[in-house]
Amino acid sequence: MMPALLPGLPLQMAALAMAVFVLAGAVKGVIGLGLPTFSMALLALWMPPAQAAALLLLPSLCTNLWQAGPLATLGALWRRLWPMQTGVLLGTLGGVLLFGPPAGRAGAALLGLALAGYALWGLAGRRLPQRMAQARGVGPLVGVLTGLLTALTGVFVLPAVPWLQSLSLDKDELVQAMGLSFTTSTVALGLGLGWAGGADTAASLWASLWMLPAAALGILWGQRLRARLSQAVFRRCFFVALLALGVWMLWRAVAA
């Protein structure tokens, strides 16, 4: 029954969560990323960050597995990026071990900071210097930092996405690399939450299965919008909205 899908939330909140995944899926359908970032930002407005992070795991995993294809080129990309992916795994699991899943005002404040930082980076349109991005040891460090932020906030775009954008990948390789990185982060976060979260996390993981159709519907909608809207204008609006959400969440956490 619908009221039991999201533990502790009434029917209206469950329906609202599905609406969030439709919108977040539409964002991913247009620009190729943003489903976990956008859904975490909105879900965390009314539920604990750890519950929101568990709820997005299956929709995020399935859409990221699709984005990580095709298999014909995945092997070569993995050989290039496996040190960074290993760092993501170790950083996420280590972060959950050290800090626990994202929770309370601290989790909300860190999520707000991460969203605002990502939005400012996107609005600035800057990239890491190529020489620095490709320096020896930078990939694993980026992976560990991304993993720690994933454990603390449930969002896994920083600093992974700016680093990937600096590797001189072509358009298709970049989309696939983001899909691979997001998949690693999702699996690592799922393992960490399942280890630390107990029964409530297990119930939220079950609930995340019900979010899959909503996310798929949103992606299909977003792909249609992509053909009609200017991607540059949409990206600008997306980052401005993320900045506003991040600042508001940070202010609410600090003022509470």
Side-chain angles (χ1 to χ4, degrees):
M1 301 247 336
M2 179 71 99
L5 291 180
L6 300 176
L9 292 180
L11 174 62
Q12 295 90 336
M13 293 296 99
L16 186 58
M18 289 185 175
V20 166
F21 276 95
V22 172
L23 291 174
V27 170
K28 187 176 181 70
V30 173
I31 65 174
L33 72 161
L35 188 148
T37 308
F38 195 75
S39 56
M40 272 295 296
L42 293 180
L43 292 172
L45 296 178
W46 77 81
M47 68 173 63
Q51 187 182 24
L55 194 63
L56 67 86
L57 285 173
L58 288 180
S60 181
L61 178 61
C62 291
T63 56
N64 290 332
L65 282 172
W66 166 78
Q67 186 175 335
L71 292 176
T73 57
L74 184 59
L77 192 64
W78 170 260
R79 287 190 292 272
R80 183 175 181 181
L81 298 179
W82 72 264
M84 181 260 199
Q85 304 305 312
T86 302
V88 168
L89 181 63
L90 295 177
T92 304
L93 294 178
V96 173
L97 175 63
L98 289 173
F99 309 115
R105 285 190 298 170
L110 287 169
L111 177 57
L113 280 173
L115 292 174
Y118 178 47
L120 289 172
W121 182 272
L123 288 170
R126 298 184 180 274
R127 296 192 177 190
L128 293 172
Q130 188 179 77
R131 181 176 300 178
M132 184 179 74
Q134 296 181 352
R136 186 178 182 86
V138 172
L141 177 61
V142 167
V144 170
L145 292 176
T146 300
L148 288 173
L149 282 175
T150 297
L152 288 168
T153 68
V155 173
F156 30 81
V157 295
L158 290 175
V161 170
W163 182 74
L164 290 172
Q165 289 174 332
S166 303
L167 296 182
S168 299
L169 302 171
D170 65 33
K171 180 178 64 176
D172 293 334
E173 287 176 331
L174 177 60
V175 171
Q176 187 176 27
M178 288 192 298
L180 175 61
S181 180
F182 296 161
T183 298
T184 303
S185 295
T186 305
V187 171
L189 184 60
L191 291 173
L193 290 175
W195 176 29
D200 288 342
T201 298
S204 292
L205 284 171
W206 169 251
S208 74
L209 179 65
W210 294 84
M211 301 298 113
L212 276 171
L217 177 62
I219 288 175
L220 292 174
W221 179 32
Q223 288 173 340
R224 291 191 175 186
L225 287 175
R226 187 194 303 170
R228 300 183 179 182
L229 296 177
S230 163
Q231 189 164 337
V233 171
F234 186 88
R235 283 178 64 89
R236 193 175 302 116
C237 293
F238 168 66
F239 284 123
V240 168
L242 277 188
L243 178 60
L245 276 172
V247 170
W248 187 79
M249 289 184 71
L250 180 60
W251 175 84
R252 190 180 66 166
V254 172

